[in-house]
Amino acid sequence: MTPNHFSTIRDLLRYAVTRFNAAGLAFGHGSSNALDEAAYLILHTLRLPLDQLEPFLDARLLQDEIDAVLGVIEKRSVDRVPAAYITNEAWLGTYRFYVDERVIVPRSFIAELVPEQFAPWLTAPDSVSEILDLCTGSGCLPVLMADVFRGAHIDAVDISPDALQVARRNVDEYALQDRIALVESDLYNSLPPKKYDLIISNPPYVNAGAMEKLPQEYRREPALALAGGDDGMDLVRRIVAGAKEYLTPGGVLIVEIGHERAHAEAAFPDLELTWISTSAGDDMVFLLSAGQLP
């Protein structure tokens, strides 16, 4: 079948799935498989509702619409550009965020814990007034938390001015300028003396060996936001070491470390890390209370 023979979304969907599978694409930037990613990219390109594929499957397309979809399929399958960078959007639950190559594509197991206000570990969520997000990237987690912790102010920190420009766009889009402050800082370095009820972080934690094996899609993301040193714990050690100074006596620190649990436990042999269950299991996110911190 040549491109001139495509006429419907069904035709393009089948073709895209075949191309994606043949190219051996890596997923994980919003979709987990070729079919879901193809459907998303096609619907987005045609400006159709992202949750309504079925009614449009046999709709006949104009040639310029077909050409536009084929261009996206080529960009994804040949250039290996993550879907989120093609569409300039990413989703965490029902929240949409602007993204581009200045930030990693939002994905966080901490996001799953936000709607329940980190229960039962955060004992008085309604009294939380100050929150710190280290390595905020696109600013996605502060937006989610501002919606749940209605009385809280959030400082969102990143070392990258480029990332903070993207975060600014997302904070402004949700009209949260009065509640989320964006701070350019190397972790705690540029923060004023202040106490937080909650510190969260989804920092760079990929170990050096894993960095070398990353699929091409992930290598398109800023290495600064992924690489965590030899064992992945370079920034995590600094986050834990400095947290005591910035937490209230009843405060908690929550850190996401992906598949690095063994390295995290080796890095903190004298701390009893509490591992929080997420959809990926019990070893992606750990918690420490202020009282546990050195």
Side-chain angles (χ1 to χ4, degrees), residues 181-200:
L182 300 176
V183 183
E184 183 180 339
S185 177
D186 181 2
L187 299 182
Y188 307 103
N189 288 0
S190 299
L191 287 175
K194 186 176 180 179
K195 296 291 186 180
Y196 297 91
D197 304 296
L198 172 65
I199 300 176
I200 68 165

Side-chain angles (χ1 to χ4, degrees), residues 113-253:
L113 307 171
V114 173
E116 301 300 322
Q117 296 178 304
F118 303 102
W121 302 280
L122 205 58
T123 54
D126 292 339
S127 66
V128 170
S129 62
E130 294 288 345
I131 299 174
L132 174 62
D133 177 28
L134 296 170
C135 309
T136 194
S138 60
C140 54
L141 290 178
V143 169
L144 267 63
M145 289 193 298
D147 223 13
V148 171
F149 295 96
R150 294 299 180 91
H153 173 272
I154 303 161
D155 287 334
V157 170
D158 207 286
I159 195 173
S160 166
D162 286 340
L164 290 172
Q165 288 178 12
V166 176
R168 168 55 60 201
R169 180 164 177 166
N170 287 316
V171 170
D172 289 353
E173 186 169 319
Y174 282 94
L176 289 168
Q177 303 94 324
D178 293 339
R179 297 192 49 218
I180 300 175
L182 300 176
V183 183
E184 183 180 339
S185 177
D186 181 2
L187 299 182
Y188 307 103
N189 288 0
S190 299
L191 287 175
K194 186 176 180 179
K195 296 291 186 180
Y196 297 91
D197 304 296
L198 172 65
I199 300 176
I200 68 165
S201 185
N202 183 13
Y205 54 68
V206 182
N207 69 69
M211 282 293 295
E212 293 179 0
K213 299 174 184 175
L214 284 178
Q216 190 173 335
E217 285 88 343
Y218 290 85
R219 292 180 185 176
R220 286 187 169 273
E221 296 182 292
L224 179 69
L226 293 172
D230 285 347
D231 64 353
M233 294 294 109
D234 283 5
L235 271 79
V236 179
R237 286 186 182 88
R238 293 176 55 204
I239 290 168
V240 170
K244 181 84 168 182
E245 182 181 349
Y246 286 90
L247 279 174
T248 60
V252 297
L253 168 69

Side-chain angles (χ1 to χ4, degrees), residues 52-72:
Q52 297 182 34
L53 174 64
E54 192 69 30
F56 301 105
L57 272 173
D58 295 307
R60 298 179 66 84
L61 302 178
L62 301 172
Q63 188 59 50
D64 62 341
E65 293 177 318
I66 294 171
D67 292 343
V69 172
L70 290 175
V72 166

